[in-house]
Amino acid sequence: MADFFIGGQWVASQAGRTREIRCPANGSLVAEVAEGTREDTEAAIAAARDAFDNGPWPSTPSWERGDVLLRVAQLLERDKASFARAESLDTGKRLVESEYDMADIAACFRYFGKLAGQDSGRVVDTGNPDAISRITYEPVGVCGLITPWNYPLLQTAWKVAPALAAGNTFVLKPSELTPHTSIMLMRLLMEAGVPDGVANLVLGAGPEAGAPLSEHPDVDLVSFTGGLATGRIVAAAAAATVKKVALELGGKNPNVVFADADFDTAVDFALTAVFLHSGQVCSAGARLIVQEELHDRLVDEIVRRAERIRIGGPFDPDAETGPLISEAHLEKVERYVATAIDEGAVLRTGGKRPEGEKFTGGHYYLPTVLDGVKQGSFAVTEESFGPVLTVETFTDEDDAVRIANDTHYGLAGGVFTSDVSKAQRVANRLRHGTIWINDYHPYLPQAEWGGFKQSGFGRELGPTGLAEYQEAKHIYQNTRPGPQHWFSGDQG
Ligand code: NAD
């Protein structure tokens, strides 16, 4: 089973290990894939190092690298149906959602393809007519890219596209649960003209196949998207060799609804914010923070609508949302809800697995609403990463901001109000990396994405997303050289 892509070749796990990939919707076997060890990842790092130090990619003109990325975007569009199907089988996500993701993935490659050749650095005013000073942007080197299972190819695209645009080589280690679209992407990168050794792929468990990417001295940068606990391990390991580190971690994202918000819009987006992809979204609006006077009406309507959400597998045309990724994750969500109820949260709906034959073998959980949660409690500080909405209330604008900022995370948040000036004031005061006003979840490849506080550091997307993969170098030239006589020894 040759599923690793190393130095331009498809290779098998050195230890001959394999892993079964099962569809979360019904437990059916999707495929068996190679399972990597440290040795496999070290081989991939060596290939990426060689391609960076001796290969053509880092010095390929930036616009040519951009052309390659534009070809990748075209190829992704050509193959979008097979990619979307593979993503849905691995994640259990509805096919229509995987199809949306494909459009975003192609757009990401297109954005960085166009950005690649635009910035040739800058000239600095030295204040000296006999000196030229310029800043160039160079690739960082070998990048270790570690991605999660919830948006497997999208998260991968956010790293691979800027890494390639900047002229780096990389080793990608996707989530062990969702490897297939990464395997498919490697084929497209080759077809688009990425040279051998530039793009490398290993599969397997994080502590085994992933860990060398944050530990190995030949890796110059590690970009990680995943949970906070793993992010801490990655950052600590990377510190030993002082790698550049980018962390895109979890969130506990506030969705603030003022009493003057358009009611139907607020209800609709409150549902999408938290229940899209069964809550397995890092930016899920899992904390509804509603103004006191609107609380009863809004929560009653959210509960009524949540109970009508139709659940099913990826190819069920009637389904509006799907399963959780695994039995282990489902059990984690169950423990989260049980702890919240023990703390005093009021279960308004959900809180259990759905019943029925169509759910057999899958990891489904009903959309759940927990009312009356207390600020600072487990329910509002910890990420469930499942279809669970907690509800808190606020009195006025200051109170809303204080509650929404009372979290060690800082990834994203929403504000719903019909007062434009209040919306902007609140957005400015929220300590989160993305704020949506009267909307939830849209992102743009040209707009930076990333977290404040313990949601991580570094940014993906936008010009800053490219800069993450570049080193700035200052080159200073004295154009009228001559002795400076700082030291006097040459005068006697
Ligand atoms: P995870 O932390 O368990 O795993 C993420 C990746 O890290 C996987 O590829 C895994 O194999 C790898 N890994 C695990 N241990 C490792 C180690 N010791 N060294 C190196 N790699 C290791 O996260 P997950 O369960 O796959 O994803 C869910 C989490 O990701 C949630 O917390 C979610 O909020 C977060 N997330 C954040 C963003 C964002 O943009 N901020 C986006 C998507 C998901």
PDB file of all heavy atoms in Angstrom, residues 403-417:
ATOM      1  N   ILE A 403     -18.742  39.722  28.826  1.00  0.00           N
ATOM      2  CA  ILE A 403     -19.030  38.275  28.817  1.00  0.00           C
ATOM      3  C   ILE A 403     -18.387  37.613  27.589  1.00  0.00           C
ATOM      4  O   ILE A 403     -17.769  36.553  27.686  1.00  0.00           O
ATOM      5  CB  ILE A 403     -20.554  38.030  28.844  1.00  0.00           C
ATOM      6  CG1 ILE A 403     -21.145  38.530  30.159  1.00  0.00           C
ATOM      7  CG2 ILE A 403     -20.868  36.548  28.652  1.00  0.00           C
ATOM      8  CD1 ILE A 403     -22.665  38.516  30.206  1.00  0.00           C
ATOM      9  N   ALA A 404     -18.527  38.256  26.443  1.00  0.00           N
ATOM     10  CA  ALA A 404     -18.004  37.654  25.201  1.00  0.00           C
ATOM     11  C   ALA A 404     -16.480  37.532  25.219  1.00  0.00           C
ATOM     12  O   ALA A 404     -15.916  36.649  24.577  1.00  0.00           O
ATOM     13  CB  ALA A 404     -18.444  38.478  23.996  1.00  0.00           C
ATOM     14  N   ASN A 405     -15.829  38.412  25.971  1.00  0.00           N
ATOM     15  CA  ASN A 405     -14.364  38.357  26.047  1.00  0.00           C
ATOM     16  C   ASN A 405     -13.876  37.477  27.191  1.00  0.00           C
ATOM     17  O   ASN A 405     -12.671  37.256  27.331  1.00  0.00           O
ATOM     18  CB  ASN A 405     -13.778  39.766  26.229  1.00  0.00           C
ATOM     19  CG  ASN A 405     -13.759  40.533  24.914  1.00  0.00           C
ATOM     20  OD1 ASN A 405     -13.816  39.928  23.836  1.00  0.00           O
ATOM     21  ND2 ASN A 405     -13.707  41.836  24.994  1.00  0.00           N
ATOM     22  N   ASP A 406     -14.787  36.986  27.992  1.00  0.00           N
ATOM     23  CA  ASP A 406     -14.389  36.210  29.170  1.00  0.00           C
ATOM     24  C   ASP A 406     -14.132  34.751  28.773  1.00  0.00           C
ATOM     25  O   ASP A 406     -14.900  33.844  29.103  1.00  0.00           O
ATOM     26  CB  ASP A 406     -15.488  36.300  30.236  1.00  0.00           C
ATOM     27  CG  ASP A 406     -15.058  35.582  31.505  1.00  0.00           C
ATOM     28  OD1 ASP A 406     -13.838  35.430  31.710  1.00  0.00           O
ATOM     29  OD2 ASP A 406     -15.941  35.142  32.263  1.00  0.00           O
ATOM     30  N   THR A 407     -13.070  34.534  28.023  1.00  0.00           N
ATOM     31  CA  THR A 407     -12.687  33.199  27.568  1.00  0.00           C
ATOM     32  C   THR A 407     -11.199  33.214  27.257  1.00  0.00           C
ATOM     33  O   THR A 407     -10.658  34.255  26.857  1.00  0.00           O
ATOM     34  CB  THR A 407     -13.473  32.784  26.301  1.00  0.00           C
ATOM     35  OG1 THR A 407     -12.787  31.685  25.675  1.00  0.00           O
ATOM     36  CG2 THR A 407     -13.603  33.907  25.295  1.00  0.00           C
ATOM     37  N   HIS A 408     -10.543  32.075  27.466  1.00  0.00           N
ATOM     38  CA  HIS A 408      -9.110  32.033  27.121  1.00  0.00           C
ATOM     39  C   HIS A 408      -8.915  31.829  25.621  1.00  0.00           C
ATOM     40  O   HIS A 408      -7.800  31.891  25.125  1.00  0.00           O
ATOM     41  CB  HIS A 408      -8.367  30.967  27.930  1.00  0.00           C
ATOM     42  CG  HIS A 408      -8.903  29.575  27.776  1.00  0.00           C
ATOM     43  ND1 HIS A 408      -9.995  29.106  28.462  1.00  0.00           N
ATOM     44  CD2 HIS A 408      -8.490  28.544  27.009  1.00  0.00           C
ATOM     45  CE1 HIS A 408     -10.218  27.845  28.126  1.00  0.00           C
ATOM     46  NE2 HIS A 408      -9.330  27.484  27.240  1.00  0.00           N
ATOM     47  N   TYR A 409      -9.996  31.560  24.920  1.00  0.00           N
ATOM     48  CA  TYR A 409      -9.923  31.480  23.459  1.00  0.00           C
ATOM     49  C   TYR A 409     -10.193  32.854  22.835  1.00  0.00           C
ATOM     50  O   TYR A 409     -10.697  33.761  23.516  1.00  0.00           O
ATOM     51  CB  TYR A 409     -10.976  30.507  22.934  1.00  0.00           C
ATOM     52  CG  TYR A 409     -10.684  29.043  23.180  1.00  0.00           C
ATOM     53  CD1 TYR A 409     -11.506  28.274  24.002  1.00  0.00           C
ATOM     54  CD2 TYR A 409      -9.609  28.414  22.564  1.00  0.00           C
ATOM     55  CE1 TYR A 409     -11.264  26.920  24.209  1.00  0.00           C
ATOM     56  CE2 TYR A 409      -9.352  27.065  22.763  1.00  0.00           C
ATOM     57  CZ  TYR A 409     -10.184  26.320  23.576  1.00  0.00           C
ATOM     58  OH  TYR A 409      -9.935  24.994  23.761  1.00  0.00           O
ATOM     59  N   GLY A 410      -9.942  32.974  21.541  1.00  0.00           N
ATOM     60  CA  GLY A 410     -10.220  34.243  20.866  1.00  0.00           C
ATOM     61  C   GLY A 410     -10.208  34.075  19.362  1.00  0.00           C
ATOM     62  O   GLY A 410      -9.507  34.785  18.647  1.00  0.00           O
ATOM     63  N   LEU A 411     -10.993  33.120  18.867  1.00  0.00           N
ATOM     64  CA  LEU A 411     -10.926  32.825  17.432  1.00  0.00           C
ATOM     65  C   LEU A 411     -11.891  33.676  16.611  1.00  0.00           C
ATOM     66  O   LEU A 411     -11.503  34.342  15.669  1.00  0.00           O
ATOM     67  CB  LEU A 411     -11.183  31.333  17.189  1.00  0.00           C
ATOM     68  CG  LEU A 411     -10.933  30.858  15.759  1.00  0.00           C
ATOM     69  CD1 LEU A 411      -9.503  31.134  15.320  1.00  0.00           C
ATOM     70  CD2 LEU A 411     -11.252  29.373  15.624  1.00  0.00           C
ATOM     71  N   ALA A 412     -13.200  33.609  16.964  1.00  0.00           N
ATOM     72  CA  ALA A 412     -14.190  34.304  16.139  1.00  0.00           C
ATOM     73  C   ALA A 412     -15.422  34.606  16.989  1.00  0.00           C
ATOM     74  O   ALA A 412     -15.578  34.096  18.097  1.00  0.00           O
ATOM     75  CB  ALA A 412     -14.575  33.432  14.940  1.00  0.00           C
ATOM     76  N   GLY A 413     -16.294  35.442  16.421  1.00  0.00           N
ATOM     77  CA  GLY A 413     -17.536  35.753  17.127  1.00  0.00           C
ATOM     78  C   GLY A 413     -18.495  36.488  16.212  1.00  0.00           C
ATOM     79  O   GLY A 413     -18.095  36.987  15.153  1.00  0.00           O
ATOM     80  N   GLY A 414     -19.767  36.543  16.633  1.00  0.00           N
ATOM     81  CA  GLY A 414     -20.787  37.229  15.853  1.00  0.00           C
ATOM     82  C   GLY A 414     -21.472  38.300  16.689  1.00  0.00           C
ATOM     83  O   GLY A 414     -21.530  38.211  17.922  1.00  0.00           O
ATOM     84  N   VAL A 415     -21.990  39.338  15.994  1.00  0.00           N
ATOM     85  CA  VAL A 415     -22.776  40.389  16.644  1.00  0.00           C
ATOM     86  C   VAL A 415     -24.018  40.613  15.802  1.00  0.00           C
ATOM     87  O   VAL A 415     -23.909  40.852  14.589  1.00  0.00           O
ATOM     88  CB  VAL A 415     -21.993  41.723  16.724  1.00  0.00           C
ATOM     89  CG1 VAL A 415     -22.821  42.770  17.452  1.00  0.00           C
ATOM     90  CG2 VAL A 415     -20.640  41.537  17.398  1.00  0.00           C
ATOM     91  N   PHE A 416     -25.176  40.531  16.432  1.00  0.00           N
ATOM     92  CA  PHE A 416     -26.435  40.781  15.721  1.00  0.00           C
ATOM     93  C   PHE A 416     -27.132  41.980  16.345  1.00  0.00           C
ATOM     94  O   PHE A 416     -27.473  41.972  17.527  1.00  0.00           O
ATOM     95  CB  PHE A 416     -27.333  39.530  15.743  1.00  0.00           C
ATOM     96  CG  PHE A 416     -26.811  38.471  14.815  1.00  0.00           C
ATOM     97  CD1 PHE A 416     -25.761  37.639  15.198  1.00  0.00           C
ATOM     98  CD2 PHE A 416     -27.334  38.340  13.525  1.00  0.00           C
ATOM     99  CE1 PHE A 416     -25.239  36.696  14.319  1.00  0.00           C
ATOM    100  CE2 PHE A 416     -26.823  37.396  12.639  1.00  0.00           C
ATOM    101  CZ  PHE A 416     -25.767  36.578  13.034  1.00  0.00           C
ATOM    102  N   THR A 417     -27.321  43.023  15.537  1.00  0.00           N
ATOM    103  CA  THR A 417     -28.000  44.243  15.983  1.00  0.00           C
ATOM    104  C   THR A 417     -28.404  45.014  14.740  1.00  0.00           C
ATOM    105  O   THR A 417     -27.772  44.870  13.683  1.00  0.00           O
ATOM    106  CB  THR A 417     -27.080  45.115  16.863  1.00  0.00           C
ATOM    107  OG1 THR A 417     -27.728  46.352  17.142  1.00  0.00           O
ATOM    108  CG2 THR A 417     -25.747  45.414  16.196  1.00  0.00           C
TER     109      THR A 417
END
